[in-house]
């Protein structure tokens, strides 16, 4: 067995597989090491099993990082249109959902098969069920820079690519391995935390568990950042696309503001109804716009004490209370559901110490970081997969020393 490869990639996820296929296509000797039983496990779980593989509108502003300019070069060099072209060439049927999100028609397996076939054609050596014991630098040899011990076997390489992802979804093999490698080589790590993740209830808000399963179109905001979309009441807290999006920007102990009727002024609606139906009860009027279960719960727990008033009885103060409750609900999460359900990890390898053009560590020749392990977090909607493709491409071009 040849224990030397020009490039070893640790991680058989989206970024690692794509990077390997590109480097191998250029004739280089590439091996992937992964701890799992099969490749692309997170891809298969993504998008409800249909993989939201990119978005029609990808901009740097869709990403969070301590170094916000870092993503620009890679996203420009390999765009969403470049990956869509590969999907079309492969004959994968796909469709657009909300806000430019692209999903496979059939299954996320289509994307895994695309990547696997590209790796096979490029003669990439994929080794699964590999427990990495250690990574050590080799001095004074430009052709053999690293020794990787896996399952008790030593492998050497010139280039080492860390594509191990973040801490989200530990059941799929997520681990802090990539962060430990960065720290081993004196590269700082921005403290990671779960993101694109549901919120949990404080004790006082656990009354809302009775609304589990109800979904509303809302506008949620934290500071100057706002998102419009569905919000879902669950047994544990609030979820849904709008909540996942705002979780990227939420800080512990902060509140989020929720507008339950972003398309309509509740005051204008009630005033108009009052002119024609002055004796209608407020709770009856509200049930035309919001779920009756929500209104009944507000009344039961004294959060809408005026619910049994007739519209004609409502005062200016009542209208202010009503407007604040519906358009400016201040919801303070107890926390999040954590990495177990988080789609991504916020934070990661500090990009100030990584080249934005090559993904190589600035002070460690031949060591590269790609994908989610870096301090780059995209919005919900295919942006994190696009970062995987784009960062993998930048890395592969650097290792192949040409545009691929």
């Amino acid at each position: 067995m040849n224990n030397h490869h020009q490039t070893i990639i640790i991680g058989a996820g989206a970024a690692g597989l794509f990077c390997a296929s590109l480097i191998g296509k250029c004739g280089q000797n590439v091996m992937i090491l992964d701890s799992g039983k099969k490749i692309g496990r997170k891809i298969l779980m993504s998008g409800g099993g249909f993989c939201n593989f990119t978005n029609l509108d990808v901009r740097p502003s869709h990403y969070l990082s301590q170094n916000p300019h870092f993503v620009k070069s890679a996203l420009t060099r390999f765009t969403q249109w470049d990956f869509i072209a590969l999907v079309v060439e492969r004959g994968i049927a796909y469709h657009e959902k909300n806000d430019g999100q692209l999903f496979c028609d059939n299954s996320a397996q289509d994307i895994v098969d695309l990547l696997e076939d590209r790796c096979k054609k490029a003669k990439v050596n994929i080794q699964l069920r590999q427990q990495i014991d250690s990574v050590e630098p080799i001095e004074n040899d430009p052709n053999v820079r690293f020794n990787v011990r896996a399952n008790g076997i030593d492998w050497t390489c010139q280039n080492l690519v860390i594509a191990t992802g973040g801490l989200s979804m530990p059941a799929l093999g997520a681990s802090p391995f990539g962060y430990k490698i960065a720290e081993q080589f004196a590269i700082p790590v921005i403290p990671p935390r779960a993101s694109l993740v549901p919120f949990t209830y404080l004790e006082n808000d656990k009354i809302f568990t009775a609304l589990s399963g109800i979904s509303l179109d809302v506008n949620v905001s934290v500071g100057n950042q706002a998102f419009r979309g569905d919000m879902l009441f669950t047994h544990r807290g609030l979820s849904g696309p709008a909540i996942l999006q705002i979780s990227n920007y939420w800080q512990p102990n902060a509140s989020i503001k929720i507008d339950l009727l972003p398309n309509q002024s509740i005051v204008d609606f009630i005033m108009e109804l009052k002119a024609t139906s002055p004796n209608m009860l407020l709770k009856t009027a509200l049930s035309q716009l919001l779920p009756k279960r929500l209104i009944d719960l507000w009344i039961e727990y004294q959060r809408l004490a005026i619910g049994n008033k007739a519209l004609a009885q409502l005062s200016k103060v009542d209208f202010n209370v009503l407007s604040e409750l519906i358009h400016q609900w201040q919801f303070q999460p107890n926390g999040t559901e954590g990495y177990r359900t988080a789609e991504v990890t916020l934070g990661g390898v500090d990009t100030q110490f990584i080249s934005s053009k090559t993904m190589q560590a600035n002070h460690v020749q031949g060591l590269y970081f790609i994908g989610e392990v870096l301090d780059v977090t995209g919005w919900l909607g295919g942006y994190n997969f696009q970062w995987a493709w784009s960062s993998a491409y930048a890395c592969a071009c650097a290792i192949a020393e040409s545009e691929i």
Side-chain angles (χ1 to χ4, degrees):
M1 186 189 299
N2 178 13
N3 283 27
H4 178 75
H5 295 76
Q6 288 167 291
T7 300
I8 291 177
I9 298 175
I10 301 179
L17 290 167
F18 191 50
C19 187
S21 72
L22 293 169
I23 299 170
K25 183 181 176 184
C26 294
Q28 289 205 24
N29 187 310
V30 186
M31 180 174 72
I32 299 177
L33 298 173
D34 191 274
S35 61
K37 298 176 183 177
K38 58 184 178 180
I39 65 172
R41 288 175 291 170
K42 198 169 178 182
I43 299 173
L44 293 171
M45 291 288 290
S46 68
F50 293 93
C51 187
N52 180 192
F53 56 84
T54 193
N55 196 292
L56 293 175
D57 179 21
V58 177
R59 287 171 281 165
S61 59
H62 293 130
Y63 294 86
L64 290 81
S65 175
Q66 297 282 343
N67 179 12
H69 299 293
F70 181 79
V71 299
K72 292 180 178 178
S73 175
L75 291 176
T76 300
R77 289 170 62 195
F78 190 87
T79 70
Q80 67 271 39
W81 308 112
D82 293 315
F83 194 78
I84 291 168
L86 297 180
V87 169
V88 171
E89 179 187 2
R90 173 80 179 183
I92 296 173
Y94 68 91
H95 58 278
E96 178 187 353
K97 282 194 177 179
N98 300 335
D99 303 320
Q101 301 172 21
L102 300 186
F103 291 79
C104 299
D105 282 358
N106 301 314
S107 166
Q109 186 68 51
D110 289 345
I111 299 297
V112 174
D113 290 346
L114 179 154
L115 296 170
E116 184 173 25
D117 285 355
R118 289 178 65 89
C119 283
K120 284 180 180 176
K121 288 177 183 175
K123 297 182 171 56
V124 175
N125 178 6
I126 300 177
Q127 297 285 330
L128 299 175
R129 301 175 190 252
Q130 297 293 312
Q131 181 64 43
I132 310 295
D133 304 315
S134 65
V135 172
E136 299 295 340
I138 296 174
E139 306 292 339
N140 304 320
D141 187 343
N143 297 314
V144 185
R145 296 194 182 109
F146 303 95
N147 186 93
V148 180
R149 172 163 285 197
N151 290 1
I153 297 174
D154 289 317
W155 306 87
T156 60
C157 61
Q158 182 179 18
N159 304 299
L160 179 62
V161 181
I162 307 300
T164 49
L167 298 176
S168 57
M169 299 187 184
L172 299 180
S175 79
F177 177 83
Y179 307 145
K180 290 178 179 178
I181 294 298
E183 290 170 342
Q184 178 184 336
F185 287 91
I187 301 168
V189 173
I190 306 298
R193 67 179 175 91
S195 205
L196 293 183
V197 63
F199 291 130
T200 55
Y201 292 132
L202 286 169
E203 194 63 36
N204 288 344
D205 287 328
K206 286 186 177 177
I207 59 171
F208 293 111
T209 58
L211 305 179
S212 180
I214 288 179
S215 180
L216 293 172
D217 175 31
V218 302
N219 193 81
V220 297
S221 59
V222 168
N224 295 323
Q225 188 65 51
F227 290 100
R228 174 77 178 271
D230 286 345
M231 177 184 78
L232 176 69
F233 290 94
T234 75
H235 288 297
R236 296 177 297 275
L238 298 181
S239 188
I243 294 298
L244 299 187
Q245 291 281 33
I246 208 68
S247 73
N248 273 349
Y249 296 87
W250 175 77
Q251 295 296 326
N253 301 317
S255 294
I256 63 171
K257 186 168 72 175
I258 305 173
D259 184 346
L260 297 170
L261 285 176
N263 278 339
Q264 186 157 19
S265 163
I266 191 60
V267 172
D268 291 347
F269 174 78
I270 297 299
M271 289 295 286
E272 289 176 17
L273 204 54
K274 178 181 174 182
T276 58
S277 306
N279 295 322
M280 181 183 288
L281 297 182
L282 176 60
K283 65 181 182 181
T284 305
L286 291 177
S287 66
Q288 297 180 28
L289 299 176
L290 293 165
K292 185 175 182 299
R293 281 165 58 192
L294 172 60
I295 297 157
D296 289 345
L297 185 142
W298 277 342
I299 294 171
E300 180 182 356
Y301 289 95
Q302 301 297 308
R303 299 200 179 189
L304 186 64
I306 59 176
N308 287 309
K309 278 189 176 183
L311 301 188
Q313 296 176 308
L314 296 176
S315 66
K316 186 175 181 180
V317 171
D318 291 337
F319 277 112
N320 289 337
V321 168
L322 187 61
S323 180
E324 189 168 316
L325 176 66
I326 290 176
H327 293 302
Q328 298 186 67
W329 177 21
Q330 297 289 330
F331 175 79
Q332 183 172 347
N334 184 52
T336 73
E337 291 200 5
Y339 292 117
R340 181 180 63 84
T341 58
E343 299 213 6
V344 294
T345 305
L346 198 66
V349 175
D350 192 340
T351 57
Q352 299 279 4
F353 292 76
I354 308 295
S355 165
S356 63
K357 291 183 171 57
T358 66
M359 302 296 135
Q360 183 174 231
N362 292 337
H363 305 299
V364 186
Q365 190 76 13
L367 180 62
Y368 299 80
F369 294 84
I370 59 175
E372 191 185 343
V373 72
L374 289 162
D375 173 36
V376 173
T377 304
W379 289 6
L380 187 74
Y383 300 105
N384 289 292
F385 273 120
Q386 186 56 47
W387 174 246
W389 317 136
S390 296
S391 60
Y393 179 85
C395 174
C397 287
I399 289 174
E401 297 183 346
S402 65
E403 293 289 320
I404 298 171

